[in-house]
Amino acid sequence: MGHGASRLRRVVHEVAKFGAVGGAGVLVNLLVFNLVRHTTDLQVVRASVIATVVAIVFNYVGFRYFTYRDRDKSRRTREMTLFLLFSAAGLVIENGVLYAATYGFGWNTPLQNNVFKFLGIGIATLFRFWSYRSWVFRALPAPGPAPAAPTGSTGQEKTKQQVP
């Protein structure tokens, strides 16, 4: 099997694990959203933001300890900061779609709220996948052969083409 096929297999495996955590996160997000909507008088976007924050916490735990458990853990503060930054951007994308549908177009039935909440999650998920794998959960350098150390060389020898 070639290097390209091996890399493709790793990416497919990563997408599947990301999808498993993300799918569970979507369920958490939608369940909390509907629970808050039916048990409080909060406006739709506020209920959605609460649900998104709960899902972000759920997803971080899943990504760090399942999807990206083999990634670099040496800089946790940086990882957490970037995760929260990109998650906040995803929150704005996700809830911006719901806000536009609800307040821009007046689509405010429970079914419409859920459809646009789900659509916003989908769009934000594409952004999150790219940003998390590119910036937050960085891959460790691939193990490779160590650079050859010069044998007995000080780097100051003269070349063979010396002028007499």
Side-chain angles (χ1 to χ4, degrees):
M1 181 176 296
H3 177 67
S6 176
R7 181 183 162 130
L8 178 62
R9 190 171 10 94
R10 282 193 311 272
V11 170
V12 167
H13 187 70
E14 177 185 344
V15 169
K17 287 167 60 173
F18 185 93
V21 171
V26 168
L27 291 177
V28 166
N29 198 329
L30 291 172
L31 287 170
V32 171
F33 173 64
N34 283 290
L35 181 68
V36 172
R37 287 285 289 151
H38 293 296
T39 61
T40 72
D41 292 330
L42 286 177
Q43 295 174 329
V44 66
V45 175
R46 289 182 183 165
S48 179
V49 169
I50 290 168
T52 303
V53 169
V54 171
I56 286 169
V57 171
F58 176 88
N59 285 348
Y60 177 78
V61 171
F63 291 142
R64 167 41 58 214
Y65 298 104
F66 176 67
T67 305
Y68 297 115
R69 70 176 173 258
D70 58 337
R71 298 289 177 102
D72 185 7
K73 297 177 185 85
S74 64
R75 295 168 26 199
R76 258 322 143 83
T77 302
R78 177 185 181 277
E79 173 184 291
M80 183 69 77
T81 301
L82 288 173
F83 182 84
L84 291 174
L85 177 72
F86 289 120
S87 293
L91 181 144
V92 170
I93 293 167
E94 175 182 327
N95 292 290
V97 170
L98 180 61
Y99 183 90
T102 304
Y103 300 109
F105 294 99
W107 297 326
N108 197 19
T109 68
L111 176 62
Q112 290 168 330
N113 292 159
N114 279 285
V115 165
F116 288 102
K117 172 78 172 159
F118 188 77
L119 180 63
I121 289 170
I123 294 167
T125 295
L126 296 174
F127 168 77
R128 287 177 178 130
F129 178 73
W130 167 79
S131 63
Y132 293 166
R133 81 180 306 265
S134 300
W135 299 100
V136 179
F137 301 106
R138 303 290 307 255
L140 291 167
T151 55
S153 170
T154 63
Q156 296 179 1
E157 289 86 5
K158 295 181 180 171
T159 62
K160 288 187 177 185
Q161 295 180 347
Q162 295 179 359
V163 178

